[in-house]
Amino acid sequence: MTNLRTCVFPCAGFGTRFFPATKVIPKEMLPLVDKPIIQYGIEEALASGFDKIVVISSKGKDAILDHFDRTSELERSLKERSKQDLLDAVDAVSRMVDIIAVRQKEALGLGHAVLSAADAVGREPFAVVLPDDVILAEEPCLLQMRRVFEETGRPVVALMEVSPEETSRYGIVGGEMAGGRRFRIRDMVEKPKQNAPSKLAIIGRYILPPDIFPLIQKTEKGAGGEIQLTDALRALVDEGDFYGYIFEGKRYDAGEKLGYLKATVDYALRHPDLGPDFRRYLDSIHG
Ligand code: UTP
């Protein structure tokens, strides 16, 4: 058995695609129906067997940590007013997880954010979840990926098929299918303008060995003057088998406005209390 228990959540970016909403409020704290975006990722990690959660934050992002902390005054007030349901809901979030918080002092890129988790992670394999990639799935995406890692002991990234017009917006992999939904990655190209090696895009779920840290350290600033995780991943591909997993489920980019709206609609329709009324409302405005 592998000791895969740490999950890193990089949350130190500026969220410019969602301005002005995210000028002050972290995008990870925007509500998706009735939970902040980050909570979906944390719940996915916990349901996939991860119990050591590391959040990379930055100035102005304390609300993320506060959300999972106790709120004694609120809890006391709810208790006094016998609001047991609300108290249970608040309590469940406060007890959900103990977070290790690491500050990224400058937003120097995703690679740099992951590197700042090195001490917290230690010499163990770990997962990375980009919280604004929200995934609706029967079986949590990270759990699907964990299985590949436990069988192979090799790095795994989540893959999703995109249309040819969309390949220029993602990291695209080259290689060949390796049975089931697995893909043996031989190459990666960041946002290819032409000649994309496939239609398979890397999305925000990774399972990586600690060997990635020295590779990030060696990575020069790349696109946008940032230290890119993809550049270090490419170096890892050269060191041995590296898998992609075409996960089952639907992914939303909740870090940009349209993706966020789509996620809101789909999650609201599935919500046990709100879903039926919301569906009636949507039907009524469709005419
Ligand atoms: P994104 O590019 O999606 O996020 O980075 P961003 O920079 O916050 O948003 P935009 O593009 O300006 O709208 C992918 C992930 O990496 C984190 C982000 O918080 C996000 O989860 N990140 C990015 C960091 O933690 N540090 C960085 O320096 C850059």
Side-chain angles (χ1 to χ4, degrees), residues 220-279:
E220 307 274 338
K221 283 184 183 170
E226 295 191 334
I227 297 176
Q228 301 289 348
L229 182 61
T230 314
D231 292 338
L233 293 180
R234 202 177 300 114
L236 198 58
V237 170
D238 295 336
E239 296 196 350
D241 289 351
F242 192 132
Y243 290 98
Y245 188 75
I246 306 170
F247 67 96
E248 284 184 82
K250 186 169 175 187
R251 170 261 191 189
Y252 303 85
D253 183 357
E256 57 94 20
K257 294 168 191 177
L258 187 59
Y260 175 82
L261 288 174
K262 290 178 184 171
T264 300
V265 170
D266 283 359
Y267 275 86
L269 286 171
R270 283 163 182 268
H271 193 283
D273 301 333
L274 301 168
D277 281 349
F278 187 55
R279 185 174 297 279

Side-chain angles (χ1 to χ4, degrees), residues 14 99 111 117 130 151 169 193 196 201 235 242 252 262:
F14 289 123
I99 288 175
L130 304 190
E151 272 176 41
R169 289 172 27 202
K193 292 210 169 51
F242 192 132
Y252 303 85
K262 290 178 184 171

Side-chain angles (χ1 to χ4, degrees), residues 9-19 22 27-28 56-58 61 104 106-114 129-133 226-227 253 255-256:
F9 289 78
C11 299
F14 289 123
T16 54
R17 287 170 301 151
F18 225 126
F19 276 0
T22 48
K27 67 176 167 183
E28 296 80 8
I56 312 298
S57 74
S58 56
K61 298 264 183 171
Q104 186 190 15
E106 254 186 295
L108 295 179
L110 176 58
H112 182 260
V114 171
V129 167
L130 304 190
D132 48 6
D133 274 351
E226 295 191 334
I227 297 176
D253 183 357
E256 57 94 20

Side-chain angles (χ1 to χ4, degrees), residues 94-125:
S94 317
R95 288 176 192 279
M96 188 172 287
V97 66
D98 286 319
I99 288 175
I100 300 171
V102 177
R103 281 268 180 144
Q104 186 190 15
K105 291 185 186 168
E106 254 186 295
L108 295 179
L110 176 58
H112 182 260
V114 171
L115 183 60
S116 49
D119 279 348
V121 169
R123 291 292 311 157
E124 290 177 0

Side-chain angles (χ1 to χ4, degrees), residues 146-185:
R146 171 188 275 276
R147 215 173 291 126
V148 180
F149 177 79
E150 285 181 345
E151 272 176 41
T152 62
R154 301 299 307 166
V156 190
V157 294
L159 295 179
M160 174 181 93
E161 192 169 322
V162 297
S163 67
E165 302 78 57
E166 288 177 313
T167 49
S168 61
R169 289 172 27 202
Y170 293 90
I172 303 293
V173 294
E176 66 278 334
M177 291 304 295
R181 304 176 77 92
R182 289 180 202 183
F183 187 85
R184 173 83 48 82
I185 298 177

